[in-house]
Amino acid sequence: MYEKLSSFAQTGGLIYFVAIFAAVLAYALWPKNQKKFDKAASLPLSDREPGDE
């Protein structure tokens, strides 16, 4: 019984984390979000505050 439950939990956890990883990767590489990430990447180099446009 313990082996079956442990195997199920490990497999379910793996599938869960792969799905979360795929969702984060899709979000990060989605073309619509490129402008937002480019702006965030250049923030440390600018003299402006984050709220300034």
Side-chain angles (χ1 to χ4, degrees):
M1 177 68 179
Y2 175 77
E3 289 83 14
K4 288 182 183 180
L5 185 60
S6 174
S7 175
F8 175 74
Q10 289 174 1
T11 304
L14 176 66
I15 292 170
Y16 174 74
F17 282 114
V18 167
I20 294 296
F21 177 77
V24 168
L25 189 64
Y27 175 76
L29 296 177
W30 205 260
K32 182 180 174 185
N33 296 328
Q34 183 176 3
K35 185 185 286 187
K36 182 181 357 179
F37 287 125
D38 287 342
K39 184 177 177 181
S42 66
L43 261 175
L45 303 175
S46 71
D47 292 333
R48 298 183 302 159
E49 292 295 320
D52 296 343
E53 292 297 323

